[in-house]
Amino acid sequence: MRWAAARDLFERVARWADQHSPQTLFARALIIIVVPMLLLQALSAWWFYSQRGDNVTNRLAILLVRDLRVLIALRADFPDDEHRAWILRSSAQDLLLFVSFRKGIVRPFRQPEYFDIAAREVQGALEADLKRPFYINNDVGGGQMLIEIQLNDGDVMDVLVPHVRLTFGSSFAYVLAQLGSALVLFGLAIWFMRRELVPIEHLGVAADALGKGRDVPDFAFSGGTREVRNAATAFHTMRIRLRRSIQQRTEMLAGVSHDLRTPLTRMKLSLALLPESPETRELADDVIDMERMIEGYLAFARGEGDEDPAPVDLAEILEDVAAGARRDNANVEVGSQGDMNVELRALAIKRCLTNLVSNALRHGTRVRIHAVRGRTSVEITIDDDGPGIPPDRREDVFRAFFRLDESRNADTGGVGLGLTIARDVARSHGGDVALDTSPLGGLRVVVRIPV
Ligand SMILES: Nc1ncnc2c1ncn2[C@@H]1O[C@H](COP(=O)(O)OP(=O)(O)OP(=O)(O)O)[C@@H](O)[C@H]1O
Ligand SMILES: [Mg+2]
């Protein structure tokens, strides 16, 4: 029970992190490397300064207090002016302690609010080692600390201690070394990571091209890690299998359609030789239907031909399709918006659009074609003012040979392959065809092609 809760929590944290971290593998990998590196450096810096630093300062404070003790003892042992002057001089010169003496009483010591490590350590050492009343001010300016010590005979010793005697110096070099090494390591990490990620990026490009039915660039996947190489190999195998299966389907379709034509032609001949009757007329209609279906199959199969995607002007294709329809006096409007230079299989797309426009004209009287360039795709919308298709039939009509209008009279229809082919073409480009209700009152067909 408790385990489940923990796992749940962990899961939620992971999901949160997933949503709030950058989306590229590169950035994430960098974070995975850089965050622990920074933490480690911060930790070692903290340890260095607080532990080692405190230690060193403590020793320095103890040494300082010992020097002060020696000075006090010397002064007591040599009361003559000449020696005392020598003590002041050499303590300033050799010990860096600026000493002076005066009559009086030291101020009572109260630890001020701002008190650094050095002052604290000096205070501790004075209390432990000297056992005399004292006063410390670590904020007298000039990079110095003032220490006043009560001597036995009613004298006060004032000492100005420069901070250099109490700090362990060049932390700048330490920080510089840390920053420098961090930068170098960081640069190396970026460089190696980039190298590792290139094959993954290539694989992404290749998969994208395959999905859009374009030529797959042949990248060398020889670099990279074993995982990436395996994925690349699997991808290549998949591509070959995919192509083979499409080819097989196409060839079979073409073969069957072709083979059926011969017996059909024979049947037509035999029918023509028979005396005319209602039965033979029905039979003849069926034969004509079958012929049309086979033509449709063949057209479908041909659609899978070897046309290669190439950059074309989609606006031109739209104009062509509209011009074709206008030849039959149809009312067709065309418009487009945005950059219409797209890489696609022009003949296939033309077929797809022609099918859709001829559907629209078969069921309505006005057709409007409009293409819009989006961020990742172009959308071609074909609107008509016909009866439309009820929402619950909109998936059915994409099935091969499916027709809403069951009567087989020649002016309402073909064989029921138009939408099937249209969708097949769009999908082979990585897009799709969707149906909706048109503002003109009839059907709206939206063809989306990723770019
Ligand atoms: N614009 C439209 N308005 C109303 N119904 C439509 C429209 N387009 C297609 N349909 C319906 O969807 C069915 C399937 O269309 P599809 O284009 O696949 O076949 P078809 O037009 O009957 O034959 P083909 O296009 O193969 O000559 C049509 O029979 C028709 O009932
Ligand atoms: Mg049609």
Side-chain angles (χ1 to χ4, degrees):
M1 209 43 227
R2 202 156 353 114
W3 275 117
R7 209 172 38 219
D8 196 45
L9 182 74
F10 189 75
E11 197 54 42
R12 240 180 299 153
V13 169
R15 218 174 307 137
W16 183 89
D18 195 43
Q19 276 167 9
H20 291 81
S21 50
Q23 292 304 307
T24 64
L25 181 57
F26 179 64
R28 280 194 190 186
L30 271 191
I31 287 178
I32 292 171
I33 293 182
V34 167
V35 168
M37 197 162 89
L38 285 182
L39 277 181
L40 190 71
Q41 289 222 332
L43 210 71
S44 73
W46 171 81
W47 182 83
F48 186 74
Y49 277 108
S50 67
Q51 303 307 116
R52 301 275 315 145
D54 283 4
N55 242 329
V56 172
T57 312
N58 176 265
R59 301 266 166 87
L60 289 173
I62 289 171
L63 289 177
L64 171 72
V65 171
R66 290 214 179 130
D67 285 351
L68 294 180
R69 251 172 57 191
V70 172
L71 288 178
I72 292 167
L74 279 175
R75 180 182 144 85
D77 289 348
F78 299 96
D80 59 300
D81 286 345
E82 197 184 327
H83 276 104
R84 287 195 167 177
W86 174 84
I87 292 173
L88 296 190
R89 217 172 39 243
S90 47
S91 70
Q93 259 172 23
D94 302 331
L95 298 178
L96 279 181
L97 296 175
F98 303 94
V99 184
S100 57
F101 295 92
R102 61 180 161 92
K103 291 263 174 243
I105 310 274
V106 300
R107 292 171 261 191
F109 173 63
R110 233 184 50 240
Q111 188 170 312
E113 229 167 86
Y114 170 71
F115 212 54
D116 59 21
I117 300 171
R120 205 165 47 235
E121 293 295 342
V122 170
Q123 179 196 354
L126 284 171
E127 274 164 0
D129 210 16
L130 211 58
K131 307 218 168 56
R132 289 168 195 272
F134 64 87
Y135 171 85
I136 302 178
N137 185 350
N138 63 332
D139 200 16
V140 291
Q144 291 176 318
M145 181 190 293
L146 170 68
I147 305 173
E148 299 176 6
I149 297 166
Q150 186 72 57
L151 304 181
N152 280 340
D153 48 2
D155 285 332
V156 173
M157 174 163 122
D158 292 334
V159 191
L160 279 171
V161 187
H163 281 156
V164 278
R165 278 218 48 169
L166 289 166
T167 51
F168 62 106
S170 93
S171 45
F172 180 68
Y174 176 74
V175 171
L176 203 70
Q178 279 224 321
L179 271 182
S181 61
L183 275 180
V184 168
L185 289 178
F186 192 55
L188 279 178
I190 288 181
W191 188 68
F192 276 113
M193 199 104 68
R194 272 249 144 268
R195 269 178 64 85
E196 290 310 314
L197 288 182
V198 165
I200 298 180
E201 264 166 33
H202 283 176
L203 193 57
V205 170
D208 185 54
L210 183 73
K212 291 177 181 166
R214 294 181 189 162
D215 244 3
V216 175
D218 240 339
F219 293 117
F221 287 107
S222 52
T225 51
R226 176 148 34 110
E227 289 85 346
V228 177
R229 271 204 308 276
N230 286 350
T233 314
F235 173 78
H236 275 288
T237 321
M238 178 186 83
R239 185 176 63 142
I240 291 166
R241 281 201 200 117
L242 214 62
R243 183 177 288 168
R244 206 179 290 148
S245 98
I246 290 176
Q247 205 178 352
Q248 217 166 12
R249 185 188 80 169
T250 313
E251 274 168 10
M252 202 175 89
L253 212 54
V256 168
S257 309
H258 189 264
D259 291 352
L260 281 178
R261 261 175 162 178
T262 324
L264 262 183
T265 315
R266 270 206 306 273
M267 277 164 82
K268 247 165 69 182
L269 274 177
S270 314
L271 269 171
L273 294 179
L274 284 178
E276 204 161 306
S277 70
E279 286 79 22
T280 52
R281 217 169 300 131
E282 246 175 55
L283 211 55
D285 280 350
D286 279 344
V287 168
I288 288 171
D289 263 356
M290 280 175 82
E291 248 188 334
R292 280 221 316 252
M293 282 164 124
I294 284 166
E295 287 307 321
Y297 262 139
L298 272 175
F300 188 31
R302 268 198 305 273
E304 294 292 338
D306 331 295
E307 189 185 1
D308 278 329
V312 289
D313 184 6
L314 185 58
E316 223 168 80
I317 294 182
L318 296 182
E319 271 306 333
D320 274 6
V321 171
R326 285 191 195 117
R327 238 171 274 143
D328 305 325
N329 289 325
N331 178 355
V332 186
E333 277 173 59
V334 187
S336 64
Q337 194 182 317
D339 178 16
M340 283 294 128
N341 285 307
V342 190
E343 187 174 338
L344 38 76
R345 283 192 283 272
L347 286 181
I349 288 290
K350 204 164 156 183
R351 232 157 88 74
C352 158
L353 295 175
T354 308
N355 284 352
L356 297 174
V357 170
S358 80
N359 275 357
L361 285 171
R362 188 176 285 158
H363 298 278
T365 55
R366 270 179 68 201
V367 180
R368 204 159 65 194
I369 310 172
H370 192 77
V372 182
R373 171 86 175 219
R375 209 166 49 79
T376 57
S377 60
V378 276
E379 271 190 12
I380 308 160
T381 311
I382 294 143
D383 287 308
D384 68 54
D385 59 350
I389 297 178
D392 56 325
R393 313 309 301 275
R394 283 181 188 158
E395 265 316 300
D396 295 336
V397 290
F398 284 108
R399 296 213 311 263
F401 301 112
F402 183 92
R403 306 190 50 227
L404 283 182
D405 179 11
E406 286 302 332
S407 81
R408 284 178 183 171
N409 96 50
D411 52 271
T412 60
V415 292
L417 275 175
L419 284 172
T420 315
I421 292 173
R423 174 170 266 182
D424 193 64
V425 168
R427 286 192 171 166
S428 77
H429 283 80
D432 206 350
V433 177
L435 302 182
D436 205 345
T437 306
S438 164
L440 293 184
L443 186 71
R444 159 170 283 188
V445 188
V446 181
V447 182
R448 192 181 53 79
I449 307 284
V451 290

PDB file of all heavy atoms in Angstrom, residues 359-360 362-363 384 387-389 397 402-405 413-420 443, ligand 1:
ATOM      1  N   ASN A 359     -17.050  15.015 -57.809  1.00  0.00           N
ATOM      2  CA  ASN A 359     -18.101  14.641 -56.854  1.00  0.00           C
ATOM      3  C   ASN A 359     -18.977  15.843 -56.544  1.00  0.00           C
ATOM      4  O   ASN A 359     -20.207  15.758 -56.585  1.00  0.00           O
ATOM      5  CB  ASN A 359     -17.486  14.174 -55.537  1.00  0.00           C
ATOM      6  CG  ASN A 359     -17.108  12.718 -55.578  1.00  0.00           C
ATOM      7  OD1 ASN A 359     -17.351  12.046 -56.573  1.00  0.00           O
ATOM      8  ND2 ASN A 359     -16.515  12.235 -54.501  1.00  0.00           N
ATOM      9  N   ALA A 360     -18.303  16.961 -56.220  1.00  0.00           N
ATOM     10  CA  ALA A 360     -19.032  18.164 -55.815  1.00  0.00           C
ATOM     11  C   ALA A 360     -19.965  18.600 -56.936  1.00  0.00           C
ATOM     12  O   ALA A 360     -21.127  18.971 -56.697  1.00  0.00           O
ATOM     13  CB  ALA A 360     -18.051  19.266 -55.462  1.00  0.00           C
ATOM     14  N   ARG A 362     -21.145  16.766 -59.292  1.00  0.00           N
ATOM     15  CA  ARG A 362     -22.173  15.760 -59.571  1.00  0.00           C
ATOM     16  C   ARG A 362     -23.379  15.961 -58.640  1.00  0.00           C
ATOM     17  O   ARG A 362     -24.512  15.745 -59.008  1.00  0.00           O
ATOM     18  CB  ARG A 362     -21.587  14.370 -59.367  1.00  0.00           C
ATOM     19  CG  ARG A 362     -22.494  13.261 -59.808  1.00  0.00           C
ATOM     20  CD  ARG A 362     -21.800  11.942 -59.666  1.00  0.00           C
ATOM     21  NE  ARG A 362     -20.801  11.716 -60.716  1.00  0.00           N
ATOM     22  CZ  ARG A 362     -19.786  10.870 -60.584  1.00  0.00           C
ATOM     23  NH1 ARG A 362     -19.633  10.217 -59.456  1.00  0.00           N
ATOM     24  NH2 ARG A 362     -18.955  10.704 -61.563  1.00  0.00           N
ATOM     25  N   HIS A 363     -23.075  16.427 -57.398  1.00  0.00           N
ATOM     26  CA  HIS A 363     -24.142  16.561 -56.409  1.00  0.00           C
ATOM     27  C   HIS A 363     -24.613  17.988 -56.235  1.00  0.00           C
ATOM     28  O   HIS A 363     -25.663  18.227 -55.663  1.00  0.00           O
ATOM     29  CB  HIS A 363     -23.691  15.993 -55.073  1.00  0.00           C
ATOM     30  CG  HIS A 363     -23.369  14.530 -55.153  1.00  0.00           C
ATOM     31  ND1 HIS A 363     -24.336  13.554 -55.079  1.00  0.00           N
ATOM     32  CD2 HIS A 363     -22.198  13.884 -55.346  1.00  0.00           C
ATOM     33  CE1 HIS A 363     -23.762  12.359 -55.200  1.00  0.00           C
ATOM     34  NE2 HIS A 363     -22.468  12.531 -55.371  1.00  0.00           N
ATOM     35  N   ASP A 384     -19.317  22.523 -51.675  1.00  0.00           N
ATOM     36  CA  ASP A 384     -20.354  22.540 -52.715  1.00  0.00           C
ATOM     37  C   ASP A 384     -21.704  22.836 -52.089  1.00  0.00           C
ATOM     38  O   ASP A 384     -21.834  22.892 -50.866  1.00  0.00           O
ATOM     39  CB  ASP A 384     -20.363  21.222 -53.505  1.00  0.00           C
ATOM     40  CG  ASP A 384     -20.833  20.051 -52.665  1.00  0.00           C
ATOM     41  OD1 ASP A 384     -21.930  20.132 -52.076  1.00  0.00           O
ATOM     42  OD2 ASP A 384     -20.093  19.043 -52.586  1.00  0.00           O
ATOM     43  N   PRO A 387     -26.533  18.215 -51.609  1.00  0.00           N
ATOM     44  CA  PRO A 387     -27.260  17.727 -50.431  1.00  0.00           C
ATOM     45  C   PRO A 387     -26.334  17.372 -49.257  1.00  0.00           C
ATOM     46  O   PRO A 387     -26.800  17.211 -48.133  1.00  0.00           O
ATOM     47  CB  PRO A 387     -27.965  16.480 -50.954  1.00  0.00           C
ATOM     48  CG  PRO A 387     -27.096  16.012 -52.065  1.00  0.00           C
ATOM     49  CD  PRO A 387     -26.494  17.238 -52.690  1.00  0.00           C
ATOM     50  N   GLY A 388     -25.024  17.248 -49.501  1.00  0.00           N
ATOM     51  CA  GLY A 388     -24.111  16.869 -48.426  1.00  0.00           C
ATOM     52  C   GLY A 388     -24.225  15.394 -48.066  1.00  0.00           C
ATOM     53  O   GLY A 388     -24.963  14.635 -48.709  1.00  0.00           O
ATOM     54  N   ILE A 389     -23.488  14.994 -47.045  1.00  0.00           N
ATOM     55  CA  ILE A 389     -23.538  13.597 -46.578  1.00  0.00           C
ATOM     56  C   ILE A 389     -23.834  13.634 -45.078  1.00  0.00           C
ATOM     57  O   ILE A 389     -23.169  14.370 -44.337  1.00  0.00           O
ATOM     58  CB  ILE A 389     -22.182  12.893 -46.823  1.00  0.00           C
ATOM     59  CG1 ILE A 389     -21.880  12.841 -48.323  1.00  0.00           C
ATOM     60  CG2 ILE A 389     -22.177  11.487 -46.229  1.00  0.00           C
ATOM     61  CD1 ILE A 389     -20.538  12.209 -48.643  1.00  0.00           C
ATOM     62  N   VAL A 397     -18.424   6.441 -46.818  1.00  0.00           N
ATOM     63  CA  VAL A 397     -18.221   6.778 -48.233  1.00  0.00           C
ATOM     64  C   VAL A 397     -16.771   6.637 -48.669  1.00  0.00           C
ATOM     65  O   VAL A 397     -16.484   6.634 -49.865  1.00  0.00           O
ATOM     66  CB  VAL A 397     -18.715   8.204 -48.551  1.00  0.00           C
ATOM     67  CG1 VAL A 397     -20.220   8.280 -48.478  1.00  0.00           C
ATOM     68  CG2 VAL A 397     -18.067   9.220 -47.632  1.00  0.00           C
ATOM     69  N   PHE A 402     -18.194   1.953 -52.302  1.00  0.00           N
ATOM     70  CA  PHE A 402     -19.369   2.320 -51.507  1.00  0.00           C
ATOM     71  C   PHE A 402     -20.003   3.555 -52.113  1.00  0.00           C
ATOM     72  O   PHE A 402     -19.333   4.551 -52.389  1.00  0.00           O
ATOM     73  CB  PHE A 402     -18.963   2.607 -50.066  1.00  0.00           C
ATOM     74  CG  PHE A 402     -20.145   2.925 -49.185  1.00  0.00           C
ATOM     75  CD1 PHE A 402     -20.783   1.929 -48.478  1.00  0.00           C
ATOM     76  CD2 PHE A 402     -20.635   4.225 -49.104  1.00  0.00           C
ATOM     77  CE1 PHE A 402     -21.885   2.222 -47.696  1.00  0.00           C
ATOM     78  CE2 PHE A 402     -21.730   4.521 -48.321  1.00  0.00           C
ATOM     79  CZ  PHE A 402     -22.366   3.523 -47.613  1.00  0.00           C
ATOM     80  N   ARG A 403     -21.344   3.479 -52.339  1.00  0.00           N
ATOM     81  CA  ARG A 403     -22.022   4.638 -52.885  1.00  0.00           C
ATOM     82  C   ARG A 403     -23.297   4.837 -52.102  1.00  0.00           C
ATOM     83  O   ARG A 403     -24.005   3.892 -51.780  1.00  0.00           O
ATOM     84  CB  ARG A 403     -22.330   4.418 -54.361  1.00  0.00           C
ATOM     85  CG  ARG A 403     -21.072   4.044 -55.149  1.00  0.00           C
ATOM     86  CD  ARG A 403     -21.320   4.057 -56.632  1.00  0.00           C
ATOM     87  NE  ARG A 403     -21.961   5.295 -57.018  1.00  0.00           N
ATOM     88  CZ  ARG A 403     -23.030   5.341 -57.814  1.00  0.00           C
ATOM     89  NH1 ARG A 403     -23.555   4.227 -58.294  1.00  0.00           N
ATOM     90  NH2 ARG A 403     -23.559   6.500 -58.105  1.00  0.00           N
ATOM     91  N   LEU A 404     -23.588   6.100 -51.781  1.00  0.00           N
ATOM     92  CA  LEU A 404     -24.820   6.378 -51.051  1.00  0.00           C
ATOM     93  C   LEU A 404     -26.024   6.196 -51.956  1.00  0.00           C
ATOM     94  O   LEU A 404     -27.058   5.678 -51.556  1.00  0.00           O
ATOM     95  CB  LEU A 404     -24.810   7.820 -50.520  1.00  0.00           C
ATOM     96  CG  LEU A 404     -23.958   8.075 -49.296  1.00  0.00           C
ATOM     97  CD1 LEU A 404     -24.078   9.513 -48.873  1.00  0.00           C
ATOM     98  CD2 LEU A 404     -24.392   7.153 -48.157  1.00  0.00           C
ATOM     99  N   ASP A 405     -25.808   6.640 -53.187  1.00  0.00           N
ATOM    100  CA  ASP A 405     -26.893   6.565 -54.156  1.00  0.00           C
ATOM    101  C   ASP A 405     -26.824   5.205 -54.837  1.00  0.00           C
ATOM    102  O   ASP A 405     -25.963   4.966 -55.666  1.00  0.00           O
ATOM    103  CB  ASP A 405     -26.701   7.706 -55.161  1.00  0.00           C
ATOM    104  CG  ASP A 405     -27.780   7.673 -56.214  1.00  0.00           C
ATOM    105  OD1 ASP A 405     -28.755   6.914 -56.027  1.00  0.00           O
ATOM    106  OD2 ASP A 405     -27.622   8.403 -57.202  1.00  0.00           O
ATOM    107  N   GLY A 413     -23.353   8.738 -61.085  1.00  0.00           N
ATOM    108  CA  GLY A 413     -22.191   8.206 -60.443  1.00  0.00           C
ATOM    109  C   GLY A 413     -21.335   7.254 -61.197  1.00  0.00           C
ATOM    110  O   GLY A 413     -21.646   6.724 -62.230  1.00  0.00           O
ATOM    111  N   GLY A 414     -20.202   7.093 -60.570  1.00  0.00           N
ATOM    112  CA  GLY A 414     -19.233   6.156 -61.078  1.00  0.00           C
ATOM    113  C   GLY A 414     -19.307   4.910 -60.248  1.00  0.00           C
ATOM    114  O   GLY A 414     -20.406   4.435 -59.917  1.00  0.00           O
ATOM    115  N   VAL A 415     -18.181   4.414 -59.850  1.00  0.00           N
ATOM    116  CA  VAL A 415     -18.144   3.111 -59.216  1.00  0.00           C
ATOM    117  C   VAL A 415     -17.996   3.195 -57.709  1.00  0.00           C
ATOM    118  O   VAL A 415     -18.116   2.193 -57.017  1.00  0.00           O
ATOM    119  CB  VAL A 415     -17.006   2.271 -59.808  1.00  0.00           C
ATOM    120  CG1 VAL A 415     -17.331   1.930 -61.246  1.00  0.00           C
ATOM    121  CG2 VAL A 415     -15.690   3.012 -59.737  1.00  0.00           C
ATOM    122  N   GLY A 416     -17.679   4.355 -57.176  1.00  0.00           N
ATOM    123  CA  GLY A 416     -17.511   4.472 -55.723  1.00  0.00           C
ATOM    124  C   GLY A 416     -16.069   4.366 -55.284  1.00  0.00           C
ATOM    125  O   GLY A 416     -15.779   3.940 -54.170  1.00  0.00           O
ATOM    126  N   LEU A 417     -15.162   4.770 -56.153  1.00  0.00           N
ATOM    127  CA  LEU A 417     -13.742   4.735 -55.795  1.00  0.00           C
ATOM    128  C   LEU A 417     -13.147   6.131 -55.616  1.00  0.00           C
ATOM    129  O   LEU A 417     -12.024   6.274 -55.130  1.00  0.00           O
ATOM    130  CB  LEU A 417     -12.939   4.009 -56.877  1.00  0.00           C
ATOM    131  CG  LEU A 417     -12.864   2.497 -56.781  1.00  0.00           C
ATOM    132  CD1 LEU A 417     -12.142   1.939 -57.995  1.00  0.00           C
ATOM    133  CD2 LEU A 417     -12.148   2.068 -55.511  1.00  0.00           C
ATOM    134  N   GLY A 418     -13.902   7.160 -55.997  1.00  0.00           N
ATOM    135  CA  GLY A 418     -13.354   8.520 -56.015  1.00  0.00           C
ATOM    136  C   GLY A 418     -12.777   8.949 -54.669  1.00  0.00           C
ATOM    137  O   GLY A 418     -11.624   9.389 -54.578  1.00  0.00           O
ATOM    138  N   LEU A 419     -13.572   8.806 -53.611  1.00  0.00           N
ATOM    139  CA  LEU A 419     -13.114   9.228 -52.283  1.00  0.00           C
ATOM    140  C   LEU A 419     -12.023   8.299 -51.761  1.00  0.00           C
ATOM    141  O   LEU A 419     -11.095   8.733 -51.076  1.00  0.00           O
ATOM    142  CB  LEU A 419     -14.290   9.274 -51.315  1.00  0.00           C
ATOM    143  CG  LEU A 419     -15.221  10.486 -51.486  1.00  0.00           C
ATOM    144  CD1 LEU A 419     -16.452  10.342 -50.616  1.00  0.00           C
ATOM    145  CD2 LEU A 419     -14.485  11.767 -51.129  1.00  0.00           C
ATOM    146  N   THR A 420     -12.155   7.001 -52.081  1.00  0.00           N
ATOM    147  CA  THR A 420     -11.135   6.042 -51.650  1.00  0.00           C
ATOM    148  C   THR A 420      -9.776   6.451 -52.201  1.00  0.00           C
ATOM    149  O   THR A 420      -8.771   6.487 -51.482  1.00  0.00           O
ATOM    150  CB  THR A 420     -11.479   4.630 -52.172  1.00  0.00           C
ATOM    151  OG1 THR A 420     -12.857   4.397 -51.955  1.00  0.00           O
ATOM    152  CG2 THR A 420     -10.647   3.580 -51.492  1.00  0.00           C
ATOM    153  N   LEU A 443     -21.557  19.607 -49.055  1.00  0.00           N
ATOM    154  CA  LEU A 443     -20.463  18.898 -48.398  1.00  0.00           C
ATOM    155  C   LEU A 443     -19.196  19.752 -48.434  1.00  0.00           C
ATOM    156  O   LEU A 443     -18.939  20.474 -49.396  1.00  0.00           O
ATOM    157  CB  LEU A 443     -20.202  17.576 -49.129  1.00  0.00           C
ATOM    158  CG  LEU A 443     -19.174  16.650 -48.469  1.00  0.00           C
ATOM    159  CD1 LEU A 443     -19.734  16.054 -47.195  1.00  0.00           C
ATOM    160  CD2 LEU A 443     -18.758  15.550 -49.438  1.00  0.00           C
TER     161      LEU A 443
HETATM  162  N1  LIG B   1     -19.942  16.274 -52.768  1.00  0.00           N
HETATM  163  C1  LIG B   1     -20.785  15.286 -52.410  1.00  0.00           C
HETATM  164  N2  LIG B   1     -22.064  15.552 -52.036  1.00  0.00           N
HETATM  165  C2  LIG B   1     -22.891  14.550 -51.670  1.00  0.00           C
HETATM  166  N3  LIG B   1     -22.541  13.242 -51.662  1.00  0.00           N
HETATM  167  C3  LIG B   1     -21.309  12.905 -52.057  1.00  0.00           C
HETATM  168  C4  LIG B   1     -20.361  13.895 -52.437  1.00  0.00           C
HETATM  169  N4  LIG B   1     -19.208  13.293 -52.744  1.00  0.00           N
HETATM  170  C5  LIG B   1     -19.405  11.981 -52.566  1.00  0.00           C
HETATM  171  N5  LIG B   1     -20.656  11.729 -52.153  1.00  0.00           N
HETATM  172  C6  LIG B   1     -21.236  10.421 -51.855  1.00  0.00           C
HETATM  173  O1  LIG B   1     -20.185   9.522 -51.527  1.00  0.00           O
HETATM  174  C7  LIG B   1     -20.219   8.392 -52.383  1.00  0.00           C
HETATM  175  C8  LIG B   1     -18.855   7.931 -52.660  1.00  0.00           C
HETATM  176  O2  LIG B   1     -18.163   8.864 -53.482  1.00  0.00           O
HETATM  177  P1  LIG B   1     -16.988   8.408 -54.429  1.00  0.00           P
HETATM  178  O3  LIG B   1     -16.394   9.611 -55.049  1.00  0.00           O
HETATM  179  O4  LIG B   1     -16.072   7.534 -53.610  1.00  0.00           O
HETATM  180  O5  LIG B   1     -17.695   7.518 -55.477  1.00  0.00           O
HETATM  181  P2  LIG B   1     -18.562   7.957 -56.745  1.00  0.00           P
HETATM  182  O6  LIG B   1     -18.470   9.408 -56.901  1.00  0.00           O
HETATM  183  O7  LIG B   1     -19.878   7.373 -56.532  1.00  0.00           O
HETATM  184  O8  LIG B   1     -17.822   7.183 -57.893  1.00  0.00           O
HETATM  185  P3  LIG B   1     -16.454   7.546 -58.638  1.00  0.00           P
HETATM  186  O9  LIG B   1     -15.928   8.779 -57.962  1.00  0.00           O
HETATM  187  O10 LIG B   1     -15.596   6.372 -58.397  1.00  0.00           O
HETATM  188  O11 LIG B   1     -16.760   7.771 -60.038  1.00  0.00           O
HETATM  189  C9  LIG B   1     -20.970   8.866 -53.609  1.00  0.00           C
HETATM  190  O12 LIG B   1     -21.629   7.809 -54.201  1.00  0.00           O
HETATM  191  C10 LIG B   1     -21.956   9.878 -53.047  1.00  0.00           C
HETATM  192  O13 LIG B   1     -23.113   9.230 -52.601  1.00  0.00           O
END
